[in-house]
Amino acid sequence: MTIHIASMMPDRALDESVIAKAITKIAVDLARFRDEPIQKRTPILDLIFLLPSRQERADFEGLRLHSFDKTSQTLRIECAVPEKMVASTHAERFVVAVIMDTIDAAAEFFTEQRILFNAAGHLALAEALVVREHYAIN
């Protein structure tokens, strides 16, 4: 399964937000794995982060399965980003946690559809994206 991530920003002011930068950073980090065999197979997981604004916000919380295109074997899952994550210092960890939750949801969906899916391999890939704490040794 190939993993793609993107974001929907209803307000241009969100372009420079902590969460938008975290989504971009994790997408770039994920792109480093594009040559991995697991990232070259179908099905495709398309994860869309829906950022909140004053004018617009998702009408649900958490994740939801949006659609599945049988022809392209693409499962689209949406994530409603909580407002508190827009400027959070934990934004990168949030993005990676959502990716892991999305892989779990996709595994359940693909199992029900009888579509082969390597959940363990994708979770290992997501683990490689986890932000590590760095400590100085004095």
Side-chain angles (χ1 to χ4, degrees), residues 57-68:
R57 65 186 65 245
D59 60 355
F60 65 96
E61 292 181 358
L63 297 176
R64 76 173 176 191
L65 275 63
H66 178 274
S67 59
F68 179 64

Side-chain angles (χ1 to χ4, degrees), residues 1-119:
M1 177 185 83
T2 304
I3 301 173
H4 298 157
I5 62 174
S7 60
M8 299 281 289
M9 293 183 274
D11 184 345
R12 299 309 299 173
L14 291 166
D15 287 354
E16 295 300 317
S17 67
V18 175
I19 191 69
K21 289 178 181 178
I23 292 166
T24 301
K25 180 188 179 300
I26 297 300
V28 168
D29 290 349
L30 185 61
R32 289 182 311 170
F33 299 109
R34 71 178 162 265
D35 292 330
E36 293 292 321
I38 201 164
Q39 277 288 83
K40 293 182 177 187
R41 297 183 191 133
T42 57
I44 297 168
L45 178 58
D46 191 14
L47 172 58
I48 310 295
F49 288 88
L50 306 176
L51 280 65
S53 73
R54 290 183 182 144
Q55 298 83 13
E56 193 176 330
R57 65 186 65 245
D59 60 355
F60 65 96
E61 292 181 358
L63 297 176
R64 76 173 176 191
L65 275 63
H66 178 274
S67 59
F68 179 64
D69 183 308
K70 288 183 181 182
T71 304
S72 65
Q73 292 288 292
T74 301
L75 175 63
R76 175 170 284 168
I77 296 181
E78 296 175 328
C79 170
V81 175
E83 191 165 338
K84 67 183 180 183
M85 275 300 141
V86 171
S88 176
T89 58
H90 304 291
E92 284 184 41
R93 282 189 287 244
F94 170 78
V95 172
V96 174
V98 168
I99 291 171
M100 295 173 117
D101 287 348
T102 301
I103 292 168
D104 286 340
E108 187 175 322
F109 175 83
F110 292 131
T111 298
E112 290 172 2
Q113 299 298 311
R114 294 189 171 96
I115 296 172
L116 292 177
F117 174 70
N118 183 350

